[in-house]
Amino acid sequence: MTASRAIPLASMPKAILFDLDGTLIDSAPDITAAVNELLAAHRLPPFSVEKVTAMVGDGMPRLVERAFAASGTPLVGQALEKAVDEMTPIYLRHLTGRSRLMPGAREALAQFHMMGIALAVATNKPQRAAREVLLHFGLIDMLGAIVGGDAVSHKKPSPDLLLLALEKLRVDAGDAIMVGDSKADVGSARAAGLPAVLVRGGYTQVPVEELGADLVCNSLLELPAALQALREIA
């Protein structure tokens, strides 16, 4: 655990908002399968999981845009919109076949849920896809809200997803924290007025220590004890 800022935790938060891809779920293998199916339809060679992981973030349209650009055939305008439309059903076919829970995800959610803390997922992933993934892994019953990228006008790092999740939970920003794995998660938390916690092992291409989070955990297994320690210090 590394604290880079002082989180104002006079008490445990009333709500915790979680990112999904790279935070609760290791979805990179499924996302890679979807990207490669789309590329194959355009007679383009496949990418490795590592290559696609570097493209993840900012929602599916940006993923498609980055994939074609990396293939040497960048798309813009209507051509890009058409490719995104093609990707949607492909993406929905590749949600749970190869994905796995991140270490400590189920345990952390269960512990916070038992403590009476309201939990939500705020993700740039489309809402339907997020719900299907969470249902598959048996996490959905512990969540008070699931907010996907298509539920708001602006995805992370905009605060819109987080603010909508808090509205659904009926919790003020001053009583909540955001847990994620990327720069977009930190940006959205800052914009919404929430402390930001990052977990190692996600999809950022920049070391998590350099992203300006209040706290960095090695895994979600550390998170309950880390928040408790910060509350005691405060």
Side-chain angles (χ1 to χ4, degrees):
M1 177 185 76
T2 302
S4 57
R5 297 170 185 257
I7 300 182
L9 286 182
S11 61
M12 290 296 280
K14 293 181 180 178
I16 303 176
L17 312 184
F18 290 90
D19 174 51
L20 185 59
D21 297 318
T23 301
L24 294 178
I25 307 294
D26 179 11
S27 54
D30 271 316
I31 294 173
T32 300
V35 167
N36 286 339
E37 183 176 329
L38 177 64
L39 293 176
H42 290 259
R43 299 184 179 181
L44 295 170
F47 288 127
S48 67
V49 172
E50 292 75 18
K51 185 76 170 179
V52 173
T53 298
M55 303 175 192
V56 174
D58 307 314
M60 188 170 63
R62 289 287 286 143
L63 173 66
V64 172
E65 181 181 8
R66 289 165 180 161
F68 278 91
S71 297
T73 56
L75 301 179
V76 296
Q78 290 185 342
L80 177 58
E81 291 177 8
K82 183 175 182 296
V84 171
D85 288 342
E86 291 176 40
M87 180 62 159
T88 299
I90 296 173
Y91 188 86
L92 293 174
R93 289 199 298 270
H94 295 280
L95 292 178
T96 59
R98 306 178 188 185
S99 296
R100 298 292 181 269
L101 284 170
M102 295 294 282
R106 188 185 308 280
E107 296 85 347
L109 288 180
Q111 184 168 344
F112 290 130
H113 183 64
M114 289 177 60
M115 293 168 63
I117 296 174
L119 307 175
V121 164
T123 173
N124 282 341
K125 203 179 193 77
Q127 185 131 344
R128 174 185 168 187
R131 290 189 64 87
E132 184 170 332
V133 169
L134 291 162
L135 182 64
H136 173 81
F137 285 105
L139 303 179
I140 202 164
D141 289 342
M142 293 185 281
L143 300 169
I146 301 166
V147 182
D150 51 352
V152 296
S153 298
H154 302 95
K155 299 178 178 66
K156 291 184 284 187
S158 161
D160 293 9
L161 279 165
L162 279 60
L163 295 176
L164 180 55
L166 290 172
E167 180 182 331
K168 289 178 177 292
L169 295 177
R170 298 182 180 179
V171 174
D172 293 333
D175 293 319
I177 66 170
M178 173 68 194
V179 178
D181 69 301
S182 70
K183 182 179 180 179
D185 294 318
V186 175
S188 62
R190 294 280 174 259
L194 277 65
V197 177
L198 291 183
V199 183
R200 300 183 198 278
Y203 301 156
T204 176
Q205 300 305 300
V206 178
V208 289
E209 294 84 0
E210 299 177 15
L211 298 180
D214 298 285
L215 177 70
V216 174
C217 290
N218 291 320
S219 79
L220 289 170
L221 289 167
E222 280 191 0
L223 186 58
L227 295 184
Q228 180 67 28
L230 286 167
R231 185 182 72 86
E232 292 171 357
I233 291 171

